Amino acid sequence: MILLDLILILVTGGIASWIAARRSAMVARWITLASLLVNLILGIGIWIAHLGRSQSNPARWFVQCNFNWIPQFGIRIHLAIDGLSLALLLLTYFLGIMAVLSSWREIRERVGFFHFNLLWVLAGITGVFLAMDVFLFYLFWELMLVPMYFLIGIWGHERRIYAATKFFLFTQLSGLLMLIAIIALAILHHQSTGIFTFDYEQLLKTALSPRAARLLMIGFLAAFLVKLPAFPFHTWLPDAHTEAPTAGSVILAGLLLKTGAYGLIRFVLPLFPGPSRELAPILMSIGVAGILYGAVLAVGQTDLKRLVAYTSVSHMGFVLLGVFAGNEIALEGAVVQMISHGISTGALFILAGLLQERMHTREIAAMGGLWETMPALSGAGMVFAMASLGLPGLGDFVGEFLVLLGAYRANVPLTVVASLGLLAATLYGLRVAQNAFQGSNPHHWKLPDMLPREWMVLGLMMVGLLWIGLYPQPILNTVRPSLAAAQQSAFTQEIVRR
Amino acid sequence: MEFSYLWWIPLLPFAGFLINGLVGRKFPRTVVAAIALLFTAVPFGLVLKLASTMFASGGPEQISLAGAPWISVSGFTVNFAFNVDHLTLLMLLIVTGVGFLIHLYATGYMAHEEGYWRFFAYLNLFMFFMLVLVLAANFLLLFVGWEGVGLASYLLIGFYFKKDSAANAGKKAFIVNRIGDFGFLLAMFLIIAQFHTLNFTEVFAQIAAHPEWQGGMMTAIALLLVLGATGKSAQIPLYVWLPDAMEGPTPVSALIHAATMVTAGIYMVARSHVLFAHSPTALSVVAVIGALTAIFAASIGLVQNDIKRVLAYSTVSQLGYMFLACGVAAYTGAIFHLMTHAFFKALLFLAAGSVIHAIGGEQDMRAMGGLRKKIPVTFWTMTVGVIAIAGAPPLAGFFSKDEILYQTFASGHVVLWAIGLVTAGMTSFYMFRLWFKTFFGEFQEPAHDTHHGDDHSHAHGVHESPAIMTIPLAILAVLSIVGGWVGIPKAFGGSMEIEHFLSPVFGEPAAVAATASHPSEFGLAAVSVLVAAIGFIFAYVFYYKKPGTLGALAEKNRGLYNVLANKFYIDEIYNGLIVVPTLMFTRLFLAGFIDKGVVDGTGATLGLTAKGGGYLARKIQSGNIRSYAGWLALGAAVLLIAMTFGLKAFGATH
């Protein structure tokens, strides 16, 4: 039941803060913060409990909860948590708290509805990471969408409507393709076994003809690749990230993109092992294309948030490359990259938010010489820019290094090209560092430096990046069994199930 | 653990960085300086303690210190582990010893600068990464230090970040270094694929155990490592960042861009000598790159007028010598020269800094002259440095440079030897040129124009630097004299202690040395001294006896002079061939055409974004909850349709 509680706490917390905001915006903020803190503590509790008994009990799922919902169609409320889900959930609540704290002052209108949406997005994300019933998974997948749409559309910047709509249409349309694939999968399962079910573990055993498997996989891929986003389906991302309010950008970049990667690992690899292997070279190439394309375009941006948005395209390209490289090292690297990118990019968006709050612009050209007036904030910016360009010792390096190391075994030329992405990363990383913070101060900015609250947010994120950069082992150990299970069918077993 | 104190050698400077970086802004300058000095002095003390243990008879030749695992994935584990052998020990002594002296000097040199705390925080951060680099027991940890010193170098070159030229120089250094790092990274992938580990001892043991592994993979790995080394150690084709790096404060040039960081590439090649021994191709490449860089940079150095730029090109040139030494497998010679160069080049930079300090920030040698009497300590110490680098016996540079030239000759590379010899003449010329121009001739009242160079706008008459700056100069001057005596060759009646000291790392001296006779070594040494003397005489004539004749000569050969003065136009060529086309491609084609036009255009048409957007906009703007309900209904309808449709479609296909 604890898993259901994770979702219910966020759902009720959202309603509560909406109601509470009629009296006091501050109370709404605190309710939101408290719900997320409770969830974070619950998550850590599950982790500790698991660490304590992992030796004695090798079961893959730490906790499950499973009961009937719509028996006619075999739809159940089946939630389960394993290492992969857990790691991503902890990231979700951590970034959620950061998002709330960073919009503490930024959001002044409709505070209640804002926090309602925020918590409901996070509830949807939680559901996505936990659902073991594919239909339920789809519902949560859609649940993420609507509140996110409102977050961008109501509290966003100048072109928010355009961006929100584009985001909605892209994800909605691709989601529908996945829905079709889900239903078809269930039907095929029904035809071969006579049981109508959407249960993940049951569906894993579905016998599929190669053609059907390929078609269905494309349905799933559509949703996940758009969400990831993979080149050339990334076009919604720069707009959505740029126009969203800070909290929205943090959740988008830090978490929503991860649901795409999660879907690839949880569903595409184990459900369609054969086609995954077949399409791997193409998907890896798409990943590499995204790495370079995103990085190169990031260099050319003039809007700070847009620049960071394009770096996400580049970083998520590493994830795609790692997922389909077909070995454990690359896949583990992809997960480390997911978590680390969540923190480093989230931090860069928060930083951009802090700058916009103070300067009312996101144009890099309007900045410059900020070090003089805001040394602490500029120093923090330097750290996150370095993380983003893959400096060893910070999280992103571990992820990218492992992905490349694994990919090297699968495809040498692609790895060489992908490594060039790190070079391009230098260009955009330094562009942020130099054009925003260094140089003279031509616009004579005189701005307040970081407040204690902002210090805490960015400081915690720095600690997180250092932790992943220097001691990634706890994460690797936690996710390893799940990844092995996901990959086993796809890449090590040569038997194609019929 | 007996040697667990080794962890503190890098960690203490890191602590210094954290303290000064986080709260140093609020401290008075003396406290900042004290923290920075303390956190470099203690590691130096620890290194001395370590040295006394290892020097003692029966002391360990190698110390391994394994810490926690860093990354452990299937079939591949990297630990936080240190490894100290005699090569590491020597590097540790140089880095902490010279590093401490330069820290000391900097407390005086930077006394009037803004951002004092920031400077020392960065300097300590550099020490941390450099020490990690030399202590690392595997390639990945070395890479951490390798990239980290690049970061510190970037921050320190751009220390005067308000100046665009400084910020740009920092950026250039970082980017060019990352090009080299790209090679390093790929080399690591190859090494892991081949040996399943990155630990030095295991990798080199495997290579040593298979003498039949020649060329092929070994060459590929070695050449990729060389690419990394050319970036860090400023060799052709990636040397272009180092001269620009002179935008940083002078102590930074001395520490990072002369004595320590730029030698990391040489250290790495020497560290991997077992690998290089299996690839004659890679060795030849290293030797040729080294020799070419040596003469190329020296020729540019002949005509530079900025005192720091002369020293920068000189550094590139001297690093070329070390590369050449590595290329002819004379690793002892390379490390020997690395050490003496650290002494005399740090001395030269610090003395140049003292000159700049004395005359209020001027770096152009044309505005200097006659400073001999005004700043005697600086003059005398710099004289030692100039003689040392020019290669006059018995100063340090003579022995180490001669060792390299001799080994090059003895290994049969006569052409490379000749290049090295000519370079030696040029070195002597441009160094004495600098010496004459700065200290002799007519004294010129310094102009109060500080538009370039360090922000030393506190000129109140020419004055000698304070003791805190001259003491490091004096110590380095002594080291520049005696530093070479550990490598006096047998032909001169010495015993070549450094060869013996490094023999556990590089093996006993090669057979070449045994076959060559003492008279030939003596003769070669005489030739190089002669060449150095010729360089001196030219400088003496042109810049002391008859200043002006050279100007006429340059007038006659305007073309050649311009090519040299403009550094062979390499920056312009790189800019025109690589930078500009890349930018054009990015800005116009990718950003303008593909992303805005093709990708976005298709996407937008596909989604009918514009139309739908307007409609949705009004709905949401109204904040009407009914529209939300409507959306849900619509969604449900779509869902239902999809389900029915999906049922039929897929039911039929199967």
Side-chain angles (χ1 to χ4, degrees):
Chain A
M1 280 309 286
I2 192 170
L3 300 182
L4 205 57
D5 290 342
L6 286 177
I7 298 170
L8 290 177
I9 287 169
L10 297 181
V11 168
T12 49
I15 296 168
S17 66
W18 194 359
I19 296 167
R22 294 174 182 225
R23 292 196 167 271
S24 154
M26 221 23 133
V27 175
R29 294 192 180 103
W30 279 106
I31 290 176
T32 312
L33 200 58
S35 337
L36 287 168
L37 264 174
V38 169
N39 269 15
L40 183 66
I41 291 165
L42 286 177
I44 293 173
I46 295 174
W47 199 15
I48 292 172
H50 161 69
L51 288 178
R53 51 136 218 211
S54 59
Q55 299 305 320
S56 53
N57 184 359
R60 180 170 158 206
W61 305 104
F62 305 167
V63 188
Q64 295 212 44
C65 113
N66 190 350
F67 46 83
N68 257 328
W69 185 22
I70 310 174
Q72 295 90 323
F73 289 106
I75 297 173
R76 304 174 67 83
I77 294 188
H78 183 186
L79 304 174
I81 190 166
D82 67 350
L84 178 63
S85 309
L86 178 65
L88 290 171
L89 280 183
L90 291 177
L91 177 74
T92 305
Y93 303 132
F94 177 72
L95 283 183
I97 291 168
M98 297 299 128
V100 174
L101 287 176
S102 62
S103 42
W104 207 256
R105 275 200 327 188
E106 183 187 323
I107 303 299
R108 294 178 185 281
E109 280 172 39
R110 303 199 216 182
V111 178
F113 192 44
F114 176 84
H115 287 97
F116 167 80
N117 281 312
L118 190 81
L119 283 182
W120 276 50
V121 178
L122 295 176
I125 292 171
T126 307
V128 163
F129 289 148
L130 290 177
M132 282 303 128
D133 182 287
V134 189
F135 192 83
L136 190 67
F137 173 79
Y138 178 76
L139 284 186
F140 284 122
W141 186 265
E142 290 294 310
L143 176 63
M144 299 189 298
L145 196 57
V146 180
M148 194 68 230
Y149 173 72
F150 283 118
L151 281 181
I152 303 172
I154 297 177
W155 293 273
H157 306 308
E158 307 81 33
R159 295 169 67 224
R160 56 180 179 272
I161 304 298
Y162 170 78
T165 313
K166 197 167 169 184
F167 162 74
F168 191 88
L169 288 176
F170 266 77
T171 40
Q172 175 75 20
L173 286 176
S174 62
L176 283 178
L177 289 177
M178 177 168 74
L179 177 65
I180 295 168
I182 287 174
I183 293 164
L185 182 65
I187 291 166
L188 290 178
H189 184 264
H190 173 72
Q191 282 176 350
S192 60
T193 61
I195 305 163
F196 211 86
T197 181
F198 284 90
D199 193 81
Y200 173 70
E201 295 197 310
Q202 298 291 320
L203 291 177
L204 279 181
K205 298 174 194 137
T206 315
L208 294 172
S209 72
R211 179 161 166 271
R214 218 173 297 140
L215 275 174
L216 293 182
M217 176 176 163
I218 287 169
F220 278 88
L221 273 183
F224 299 146
L225 290 188
V226 167
K227 202 69 140 220
L228 192 62
F231 173 84
F233 310 112
H234 66 276
T235 160
W236 63 270
L237 178 138
D239 288 317
H241 281 58
T242 310
E243 299 302 328
T246 302
S249 308
V250 172
I251 291 172
L252 267 175
L255 302 171
L256 240 65
L257 308 189
K258 307 308 178 292
T259 60
Y262 172 83
L264 293 175
I265 298 172
R266 177 72 82 211
F267 294 104
V268 173
L269 287 184
L271 280 174
F272 314 108
S276 291
R277 224 178 11 249
E278 281 167 32
L279 290 180
I282 297 172
L283 291 165
M284 285 167 75
S285 308
I286 292 178
V288 172
I291 292 172
L292 287 184
Y293 188 84
V296 167
L297 278 183
V299 179
Q301 299 305 316
T302 57
D303 180 314
L304 182 58
K305 279 184 92 174
R306 230 181 151 76
L307 187 154
V308 179
Y310 275 107
T311 69
S312 280
V313 178
S314 180
H315 284 133
M316 295 312 282
F318 278 103
V319 173
L320 186 59
L321 177 66
V323 168
F324 286 97
N327 56 58
E328 225 175 286
I329 295 180
L331 191 56
E332 285 170 13
V335 175
V336 173
Q337 172 80 348
M338 282 159 70
I339 294 169
S340 172
H341 168 262
I343 300 176
S344 66
T345 309
L348 282 173
F349 276 123
I350 290 175
L351 209 75
L354 297 185
L355 288 176
Q356 179 161 26
E357 215 177 298
R358 289 165 168 74
M359 311 170 75
H360 306 289
T361 179
R362 299 187 305 269
E363 283 299 313
I364 297 174
M367 302 173 186
L370 296 184
W371 203 302
E372 203 179 46
T373 165
M374 301 186 289
L377 195 148
S378 307
M382 187 66 80
V383 173
F384 294 119
M386 288 303 139
S388 188
L389 65 76
L391 192 81
L394 297 171
D396 291 31
F397 173 76
V398 176
E400 283 161 17
F401 177 77
L402 288 177
V403 166
L404 290 171
L405 179 59
Y408 183 85
R409 298 186 178 178
N411 192 323
V412 176
L414 276 179
T415 309
V416 173
V417 178
S419 307
L420 283 174
L422 285 175
L423 202 56
T426 316
L427 299 179
Y428 64 66
L430 292 189
R431 198 176 135 77
V432 174
Q434 190 180 5
N435 294 18
F437 303 124
Q438 300 190 330
S440 57
N441 187 347
H443 307 281
H444 306 289
W445 292 105
K446 274 239 167 299
L447 302 165
D449 208 345
M450 285 205 282
L451 306 171
R453 172 176 53 83
E454 296 160 347
W455 246 119
M456 187 176 76
V457 170
L458 293 179
L460 280 173
M461 295 178 99
M462 273 183 228
V463 171
L465 284 175
L466 269 173
W467 178 42
I468 301 171
L470 296 176
Y471 190 47
Q473 217 52 41
I475 297 173
L476 289 171
N477 291 342
T478 305
V479 301
R480 183 163 295 148
S482 330
L483 300 184
Q487 214 162 31
Q488 205 171 22
S489 44
F491 287 98
T492 49
Q493 258 174 248
E494 286 303 319
I495 315 144
V496 183
R497 277 182 271 119
R498 290 207 164 258
Chain B
M1 282 284 284
E2 190 193 349
F3 292 106
S4 50
Y5 67 84
L6 286 180
W7 296 115
W8 292 105
I9 294 175
L11 285 179
L12 286 172
F14 189 70
F17 158 71
L18 285 182
I19 296 171
N20 270 340
L22 290 176
V23 286
R25 211 166 1 140
K26 302 193 174 70
F27 292 160
R29 282 166 191 253
T30 43
V31 176
V32 171
I35 290 169
L37 286 175
L38 186 69
F39 285 100
T40 8
V42 176
F44 181 51
L46 292 175
V47 171
L48 287 179
K49 177 179 169 189
L50 175 69
S52 70
T53 318
M54 289 181 83
F55 276 124
S57 59
E61 278 185 355
Q62 182 155 344
I63 299 166
S64 299
L65 199 62
W70 176 16
I71 301 174
S72 176
V73 289
S74 71
F76 167 70
T77 301
V78 183
N79 290 325
F80 288 109
F82 287 164
N83 204 357
V84 182
D85 57 8
H86 283 184
L87 174 60
T88 307
L89 180 60
L90 194 62
M91 292 297 290
L92 283 175
L93 285 167
I94 296 169
V95 172
T96 53
V98 176
F100 174 70
L101 288 177
I102 294 173
H103 270 71
L104 196 63
Y105 174 97
T107 56
Y109 186 85
M110 302 298 287
H112 306 282
E113 300 283 344
E114 248 181 80
Y116 197 72
W117 60 278
R118 203 160 48 87
F119 180 81
F120 282 101
Y122 293 165
L123 219 50
N124 275 6
L125 180 68
F126 169 77
M127 293 294 282
F128 163 68
F129 281 123
M130 190 69 208
L131 289 167
V132 168
L133 193 159
V134 296
L135 280 164
N138 56 61
F139 280 102
L140 197 64
L141 198 56
L142 190 149
F143 190 67
V144 173
W146 186 270
E147 292 254 284
V149 291
L151 167 66
S153 159
Y154 162 77
L155 292 170
L156 283 163
I157 295 169
F159 177 72
Y160 300 118
F161 59 80
K162 287 184 207 165
K163 272 198 316 185
D164 280 336
S165 57
N168 286 335
K171 191 164 83 169
K172 183 172 176 182
F174 204 124
I175 292 169
V176 173
N177 266 295
R178 288 278 282 199
I179 297 174
D181 298 350
F182 166 70
F184 197 134
L185 197 64
L186 291 183
M188 282 198 286
F189 296 147
L190 284 176
I191 291 170
I192 296 169
Q194 193 77 8
F195 309 109
H196 307 289
T197 176
L198 285 174
N199 293 344
F200 292 137
T201 44
E202 292 166 37
V203 170
F204 299 137
Q206 282 190 48
I207 298 176
H210 293 85
E212 74 278 9
W213 290 350
Q214 291 288 336
M217 183 57 91
M218 301 298 128
T219 302
I221 296 173
L223 286 180
L224 285 168
L225 288 177
V226 169
L227 177 61
T230 55
K232 199 63 66 195
S233 290
Q235 297 294 295
I236 290 173
L238 298 181
Y239 72 93
V240 286
W241 64 271
L242 185 60
D244 288 16
M246 296 301 123
E247 292 285 345
T250 307
V252 172
S253 313
L255 177 61
I256 300 183
H257 307 117
T260 55
M261 182 189 87
V262 289
T263 62
I266 283 96
Y267 168 76
M268 193 257 286
V269 173
R271 171 63 68 211
S272 318
H273 66 98
V274 178
L275 169 72
F276 280 83
H278 285 244
S279 174
T281 322
L283 276 181
S284 311
V285 170
V286 171
V288 170
I289 287 179
L292 288 182
T293 308
I295 193 164
F296 184 76
S299 64
I300 298 174
L302 295 176
V303 299
Q304 296 299 309
N305 284 318
D306 181 318
I307 188 168
K308 284 182 71 183
R309 293 225 167 208
V310 174
L311 292 176
Y313 280 105
S314 159
T315 303
V316 176
S317 172
Q318 298 295 312
L319 291 166
Y321 272 123
M322 298 174 212
F323 241 62
L324 172 62
C326 289
V328 299
Y331 300 105
T332 305
I335 298 299
F336 184 23
H337 197 55
L338 187 160
M339 178 182 84
T340 59
H341 178 258
F343 298 149
F344 61 68
K345 192 50 73 62
L347 169 62
L348 286 168
F349 266 116
L350 294 185
S354 179
V355 170
I356 296 166
H357 191 79
I359 57 174
E362 182 58 62
Q363 289 182 204
D364 193 326
M365 293 191 297
R366 286 169 296 195
M368 298 176 187
L371 291 171
R372 186 177 25 152
K373 295 272 169 55
K374 307 267 179 191
I375 42 173
V377 182
T378 306
F379 168 69
W380 281 111
T381 49
M382 191 151 196
T383 306
V384 171
V386 169
I387 299 176
I389 191 176
L395 275 69
F398 166 75
F399 291 109
S400 56
K401 192 190 290 182
D402 222 55
E403 170 71 11
I404 293 175
L405 288 176
Y406 169 66
Q407 292 288 349
T408 309
F409 188 83
S411 62
H413 297 85
V414 182
V415 177
L416 297 181
W417 169 78
I419 293 176
L421 192 66
V422 174
T423 307
M426 289 172 154
T427 308
S428 167
F429 173 80
Y430 66 66
M431 286 314 300
F432 279 108
R433 170 177 176 265
L434 179 150
W435 190 63
F436 283 121
K437 281 192 127 179
T438 311
F439 294 110
F440 292 84
E442 234 159 87
F443 173 69
Q444 303 181 15
E445 208 42 62
H448 291 265
D449 174 25
T450 56
H451 66 280
H452 70 174
D454 299 0
D455 291 349
H456 273 249
S457 45
H458 50 94
H460 19 253
V462 174
H463 55 93
E464 181 60 278
S465 301
I468 201 145
M469 289 165 67
T470 50
I471 290 170
L473 287 180
I475 296 173
L476 285 169
V478 171
L479 286 171
S480 301
I481 296 170
V482 305
W485 298 355
V486 298
I488 301 176
K490 296 194 180 67
F492 289 69
S495 54
M496 203 67 194
E497 276 102 351
I498 190 160
E499 192 162 58
H500 179 68
F501 177 66
L502 289 173
S503 63
V505 185
F506 299 129
E508 286 303 323
V512 217
T515 54
S517 58
H518 286 174
S520 80
E521 184 165 2
F522 214 89
L524 287 172
V527 171
S528 45
V529 171
L530 187 70
V531 167
I534 293 171
F536 168 75
I537 291 165
F538 271 99
Y540 174 77
V541 172
F542 288 143
Y543 294 101
Y544 188 69
K545 257 311 197 225
K546 293 177 184 166
T549 42
L550 200 64
L553 201 67
E555 266 320 307
K556 274 190 199 156
N557 300 295
R558 201 72 232 168
L560 178 65
Y561 178 81
N562 277 340
V563 168
L564 289 182
N566 287 299
K567 306 163 273 182
F568 291 94
Y569 298 100
I570 293 293
D571 277 323
E572 286 75 10
I573 292 170
Y574 279 7
N575 214 20
L577 286 183
I578 301 168
V579 181
V580 173
T582 313
L583 282 180
M584 296 284 271
F585 176 74
T586 313
R587 297 249 160 91
L588 295 180
F589 183 71
L590 281 184
F593 179 65
I594 298 283
D595 206 59
K596 269 275 160 284
V598 179
V599 174
D600 214 27
T602 327
T605 335
L606 198 79
L608 298 170
T609 311
K611 267 196 177 173
Y615 171 73
L616 280 167
R618 286 191 295 280
K619 289 292 154 197
I620 293 169
Q621 293 280 32
S622 69
N624 197 335
I625 301 303
R626 267 176 308 170
S627 68
Y628 178 45
W631 256 109
L632 277 187
L634 185 71
V638 172
L639 224 134
L640 270 175
I641 295 166
M643 273 184 101
T644 0
F645 178 73
L647 280 169
K648 276 188 186 156
F650 279 88
T653 52
H654 197 71

